[in-house]
Amino acid sequence: MRTEMETESLKTKDRVGSYGFIAEPFHCDFQHELFLGHLCNHLLNAADYHSDERGFGMNYLIPRHRTWVLSRFAIEIYDTPKAYDNICVDTWVDSVMRFFTSRNFAVRNDKDDVCAYGRSIWAMIDTESRHPVDIMAIHDGHISDYIETSKPCPISQPQRVRVGTNTQLLRTVEMQYSDVDVNGHVNSVKYIDHILNLWDLDWYRNNVIKRFDIVYVAESHSGDRLSFWREQTGDEEFGVSITKSSENGTNTIEVCRSSIKFVKR
Amino acid sequence: MRTEMETESLKTKDRVGSYGFIAEPFHCDFQHELFLGHLCNHLLNAADYHSDERGFGMNYLIPRHRTWVLSRFAIEIYDTPKAYDNICVDTWVDSVMRFFTSRNFAVRNDKDDVCAYGRSIWAMIDTESRHPVDIMAIHDGHISDYIETSKPCPISQPQRVRVGTNTQLLRTVEMQYSDVDVNGHVNSVKYIDHILNLWDLDWYRNNVIKRFDIVYVAESHSGDRLSFWREQTGDEEFGVSITKSSENGTNTIEVCRSSIKFVKR
């Protein structure tokens, strides 16, 4: 642990990382709006850069058989970035517990207006046992030097998300080569892409995503056949549950669940 | 047309555009290698920026009811970029005909070694009639001021690609919201992603893509069900044809075809 004086000398600007991205034209949908999956990918990249620059990123953890796992994520969008927009993602850790940290995000446009806020909960796991490990054991709790509580993130915590029993099986999709990332399992953002494919272009022509929550429950892998179950919980509100069969085929395992609030354009 | 003196004053450095990208970790596959689709997306972005900066890009064309359409594309890869690698994409126009231009690419790593070359053929179409239009009618043939023939691109032209009759139907995939880009039809790179999903992780563990050619024949849209036909033409060489049914369902239309050469690792 650093001395109290050293800790106090860390300013908000040291604790918050800011990373510029561009809304690339071919990362935008038919309405020239950045796909939510690509926006979320920028947030996850910002988290990766921020933790890496401060000594608790993947580059430090992987050789020590540790990694970060995204457990829950929520984003609220006020103004979806359009093709060619420059955006800046601010990210900071706002609390650390033994097995979880909470990390926030603010996405700013080039007028410095916030166009989205995000919140996320991460666990640290042992890459061999896949079990959670004590975050404070890394670098003598070094991460707690970076806790920033003064920067606002005026959206509610990522929901636990309850999906009811009134769901309808809309689609089964086999996970492929392009779904799997450097971690060897299906990429967090790919679930978001597959979920948002449950609505067609006509829906997106008339509705825009206001808030998206997702809870990651179990990992899935290439070759897994994922079932997408959807229920409508309000005029423009939905719950989605993704399940897979267990390896011996006898049980159904929940992979993740999500709630999506749209608003009419 | 510019005067001869003005034209002569354009140096190679003015004619070639160079754009930096990073191989983002979550754009990399399970072996930490940048997905070919994301690499190709960087090339298409570079083409977009290069043409835009020189006055013949989409921003100039779209209000004039014109757009560029990618007709053929080929890439040869010597060293696939890895997660976090900085890469630089050079791009230049190497010939202009009435209805087609040829644009080349070189991808350099941070040691300035070329890790891939690309070649592409583009048509300009009228966005209403979807018919080809005379490229030289734009800005009095302004694009021809930028032809660069001295920079080497030592790979063969994009092949016409012949796919034989010995193909096997491997998969039918319905195009969704996430497949469609700002142009309102299935994104060029998404076809590449879907084609490369025809091989599993075991294949990629033992083989790496050496050369990829693709010919775009017809557009497809959200809701279209694309059939993926594959034939093996050598130990590590394949042809793939993508087809869809015509709107009245009576004919089969070829959407694109591709040839893929792998080499053993």
Side-chain angles (χ1 to χ4, degrees), chain B residues 62-219:
Chain B
I62 295 285
R64 288 158 182 83
H65 310 291
R66 298 283 184 268
T67 192
W68 290 112
V69 173
L70 182 57
S71 170
R72 288 195 225 163
F73 178 77
I75 186 166
E76 270 190 43
I77 304 140
Y78 311 110
D79 186 18
T80 309
K82 311 291 180 301
Y84 300 105
D85 283 356
N86 285 296
I87 57 172
C88 183
V89 177
D90 299 331
T91 183
W92 65 99
V93 172
D94 90 324
S95 80
V96 180
M97 284 157 292
R98 190 167 168 205
F99 292 121
F100 291 99
T101 77
S102 159
R103 171 184 286 284
N104 295 347
F105 302 93
V107 183
R108 290 178 287 123
N109 62 20
D110 55 7
K111 296 189 197 83
D112 215 33
D113 296 327
V114 173
C115 47
Y117 283 109
R119 284 184 175 268
S120 60
I121 310 282
W122 301 74
M124 191 180 285
I125 63 163
D126 181 303
T127 50
E128 282 155 19
S129 73
R130 312 302 285 177
H131 289 310
V133 293
D134 183 356
I135 292 165
M136 299 301 280
I138 296 294
H139 265 326
D140 291 328
H142 173 60
I143 189 173
S144 59
D145 295 348
Y146 290 99
I147 296 174
E148 164 61 40
T149 51
S150 64
K151 192 171 163 70
C153 187
I155 67 168
S156 61
Q157 288 292 342
Q159 294 174 47
R160 283 179 182 277
V161 181
R162 304 268 168 230
V163 180
T165 50
N166 200 18
T167 58
Q168 192 188 353
L169 176 62
L170 287 196
R171 188 174 291 161
T172 299
V173 184
E174 188 180 329
M175 293 298 100
Q176 314 276 0
Y177 166 66
S178 69
D179 292 304
V180 174
D181 73 12
V182 289
N183 295 310
H185 50 73
V186 173
N187 176 258
S188 311
V189 162
K190 286 287 177 176
Y191 293 111
I192 300 177
D193 291 343
H194 287 297
I195 289 170
L196 296 181
N197 277 342
L198 299 177
W199 291 268
D200 65 10
L201 269 56
D202 260 351
W203 178 266
Y204 289 102
R205 213 167 266 130
N206 298 311
N207 299 276
V208 63
I209 299 162
K210 176 70 186 166
R211 178 168 172 127
F212 185 96
D213 287 77
I214 186 164
V215 179
Y216 297 97
V217 183
E219 292 172 359

Side-chain angles (χ1 to χ4, degrees), chain A residues 42-61:
Chain A
H42 291 321
L43 270 54
L44 299 188
N45 273 328
D48 186 51
Y49 299 153
H50 175 274
S51 58
D52 199 49
E53 288 166 4
R54 285 158 185 79
F56 48 88
M58 304 287 238
N59 286 334
Y60 180 83
L61 294 177

Side-chain angles (χ1 to χ4, degrees), chain B residues 35-50:
Chain B
F35 279 112
L36 183 67
H38 285 294
L39 178 57
C40 293
N41 184 55
H42 292 320
L43 270 53
L44 298 188
N45 273 326
D48 187 51
Y49 299 153
H50 174 274

Side-chain angles (χ1 to χ4, degrees), chain A residues 21-22 24-33 35-36 38 41-42 44-45 48-49 58-59 83-84 171 174 176-184 187 190 193 196-197 199-201 204 222, chain B residues 21-22 24-33 35-36 38 41-42 44-45 48-49 58-59 83-84 171 174 176-184 187 190 193 196-197 199-201 204 222:
Chain A
F21 298 97
I22 187 164
E24 295 182 10
F26 302 115
H27 287 173
C28 292
D29 73 3
F30 70 106
Q31 301 194 108
H32 297 217
E33 294 174 347
F35 279 111
L36 183 67
H38 285 294
N41 183 55
H42 291 321
L44 299 188
N45 273 328
D48 186 51
Y49 299 153
M58 304 287 238
N59 286 334
Y84 301 106
R171 188 174 291 162
E174 189 180 327
Q176 314 276 359
Y177 165 67
S178 69
D179 292 303
V180 174
D181 73 11
V182 289
N183 294 308
N187 176 258
K190 285 287 177 176
D193 290 342
L196 296 181
N197 277 343
W199 290 268
D200 65 10
L201 269 55
Y204 288 103
S222 175
Chain B
F21 299 97
I22 186 163
E24 295 183 10
F26 303 114
H27 287 173
C28 292
D29 73 4
F30 69 106
Q31 300 193 110
H32 297 216
E33 294 174 345
F35 279 112
L36 183 67
H38 285 294
N41 184 55
H42 292 320
L44 298 188
N45 273 326
D48 187 51
Y49 299 153
M58 304 287 237
N59 286 334
Y84 300 105
R171 188 174 291 161
E174 188 180 329
Q176 314 276 0
Y177 166 66
S178 69
D179 292 304
V180 174
D181 73 12
V182 289
N183 295 310
N187 176 258
K190 286 287 177 176
D193 291 343
L196 296 181
N197 277 342
W199 291 268
D200 65 10
L201 269 56
Y204 289 102
S222 175

